[in-house]
Amino acid sequence: MYQVKVNDQYNYDIDKDGDGLLINGENVSADISRLNASAWHIINNLKSYNVEVVSFDSVEKTASIKVNNNIYTVTAKDQFDILLDKLGLSSLNAAKVSEIKAPMPGMVLKVFVNEGMEIKKGDNLFTLEAMKMENIIKAPADVVVKAVKIKPGDKVEKGQVLLMF
């Protein structure tokens, strides 16, 4: 499931339904043809759309998309971003970050950082397995790692301090 916002005005809930697509709970069956790596031609409800991805930022999950020569700014949240919002952890980068706490109970699978490393916003910190899903936790800001309190195989509880900056 994705929550997509277009031009900071219009909200859409997008989900897969088998091979189909649900947008705000309604089944959409469009004819989609890929023209090249960043362009598509779409026919939906007897209307034709030429779509091109102008820019894409995978860390911020934003894109500029041109549809029939009109440019739209799109932001997306996946189920993990939605969960972090619900847990109140989505605004970690708004304040000075001094530590990363476990957003949920789970087991550490991989640790990508060591003490003393300079990390940029969006860099992978560690992988946490929770609810049978692997979650890659990323740096919320540019930081220097002061302490790594976890290692692969560690079981962690929600709120436990895992990394210090």
Side-chain angles (χ1 to χ4, degrees), residues 2-70:
Y2 292 92
Q3 288 181 343
V4 176
K5 190 170 213 171
V6 179
N7 290 346
D8 287 328
Q9 290 181 325
Y10 306 103
N11 296 307
Y12 300 95
D13 290 328
I14 300 176
D15 207 352
K16 277 192 158 193
D17 180 30
D19 288 337
L21 188 66
L22 291 174
I23 299 178
N24 291 338
E26 293 184 28
N27 195 8
V28 175
S29 57
D31 181 26
I32 303 172
S33 297
R34 188 174 194 150
L35 303 176
N36 60 44
S38 63
W40 293 263
H41 182 256
I42 300 172
I43 298 175
N44 186 40
N45 293 335
L46 302 177
K47 293 182 183 175
S48 176
Y49 303 93
N50 291 312
V51 180
E52 179 184 355
V53 177
V54 177
S55 66
F56 178 70
D57 183 346
S58 62
V59 174
E60 295 292 325
K61 297 181 183 166
T62 61
S64 291
I65 299 176
K66 186 189 298 185
V67 180
N68 293 346
N69 292 321
N70 295 314

Side-chain angles (χ1 to χ4, degrees), residues 91-109:
S91 61
L92 284 176
N93 59 353
K96 186 176 183 299
V97 179
S98 61
E99 61 192 16
I100 294 284
K101 295 180 180 179
M104 61 195 85
M107 184 171 66
V108 177
L109 297 179

Side-chain angles (χ1 to χ4, degrees), residues 112-121 123-125 139 141-146 165:
F112 301 107
V113 297
N114 296 314
E115 292 181 15
M117 284 181 72
E118 291 185 18
I119 307 298
K120 298 288 182 198
K121 180 178 179 177
D123 286 352
N124 295 342
L125 299 174
D142 294 352
V143 293
V144 175
V145 179
K146 288 185 182 172
F165 306 113

